[in-house]
Amino acid sequence: LKGKSLMGAERGRIKSAFIQKQKRLDLIALRESEGLKQVGLLTDREFLLAGIALYWAEGSKKHQETSFCNSDPMLVNFMIKWLEKCFNIDITRLAVKVGINEIHRAREVEIKDYWSKITGISLSQFRKTSWKKTKNKKVYLNFANHYGTLEVKVLKGSGVYYKILGL
């Protein structure tokens, strides 16, 4: 009886967790829909300002170079589009570098392919991967879905850097 009681309690916890997760996902979808309606499409000026704010947070402020680094594919793509639209930077002027923990060495080709497909940047524009040497004590369930960070750098980008500083 005790075993059946414990199994029933466990099934109840799992069912409850699933219901709570679904409620959370539904709420996120609702808020996203509301947010899209509230924000709408960005004007060119708003797009420029959003990019400046993101560059201030994620971009390089040293060495007179134009570069930024992030792990979020949507943010990386936004910044690439920002460079193209606001500064007339052709995608061929970008050099990129993956930064990831060395425990992902066997996945290097997969990771570069992932970032290349996400950004539309040719594999020939990828530089040597930056391997982070930290020991993970925890085994993450999303190991195969982790793609590290991508640093995007404008080649000969000091002029763009000064324009960004001016803005």
Side-chain angles (χ1 to χ4, degrees):
L1 287 175
K2 188 174 184 179
K4 284 187 175 186
S5 174
L6 290 174
M7 284 177 38
E10 181 65 19
R11 277 196 312 269
R13 280 192 294 277
I14 291 170
K15 186 176 179 181
S16 176
F18 178 77
I19 290 169
Q20 291 301 318
K21 180 180 180 180
Q22 194 56 51
K23 283 182 181 178
R24 180 176 47 84
L25 293 175
D26 291 345
L27 182 61
I28 289 170
L30 173 67
R31 297 298 185 233
E32 187 175 279
S33 175
E34 291 172 351
L36 287 172
K37 287 178 188 171
Q38 184 176 358
V39 173
L41 294 176
L42 298 180
T43 65
D44 288 347
R45 182 175 187 277
E46 290 166 339
F47 185 73
L48 174 67
L49 294 174
I52 291 168
L54 285 170
Y55 191 87
W56 184 256
E58 303 295 334
S60 173
K61 275 77 79 186
K62 296 179 183 177
H63 311 297
Q64 293 77 41
E65 66 180 27
T66 305
S67 68
F68 60 90
C69 183
N70 202 277
S71 63
D72 183 335
M74 289 175 64
L75 190 138
V76 170
N77 277 330
F78 178 92
M79 293 301 289
I80 291 169
K81 285 179 180 51
W82 180 71
L83 289 169
E84 290 173 333
K85 184 174 180 176
C86 298
F87 301 97
N88 296 317
I89 301 298
D90 190 81
I91 199 166
T92 59
R93 272 189 65 195
L94 302 178
V96 294
K97 178 169 63 172
V98 173
I100 195 162
N101 191 292
E102 63 185 0
I103 63 173
H104 293 274
R105 268 190 197 273
R107 298 179 55 234
E108 182 178 14
V109 171
E110 173 193 348
I111 291 165
K112 285 184 174 182
D113 283 343
Y114 168 83
W115 281 113
S116 178
K117 286 176 186 159
I118 290 290
T119 61
I121 295 175
S122 167
L123 287 171
S124 65
Q125 293 169 250
F126 279 70
R127 301 246 170 110
K128 187 176 174 185
T129 300
S130 175
W131 299 106
K132 311 303 180 202
K133 294 179 175 129
T134 58
K135 293 184 181 179
N136 287 341
K137 295 177 183 170
K138 181 178 177 182
V139 177
Y140 291 92
L141 296 176
N142 67 342
F143 180 86
N145 296 323
H146 181 66
Y147 298 98
T149 60
L150 189 70
E151 178 185 353
V152 178
K153 181 178 181 177
V154 178
L155 299 175
K156 298 182 180 179
S158 62
V160 177
Y161 171 80
Y162 293 124
K163 285 181 186 178
I164 293 170
L165 283 183
L167 292 167

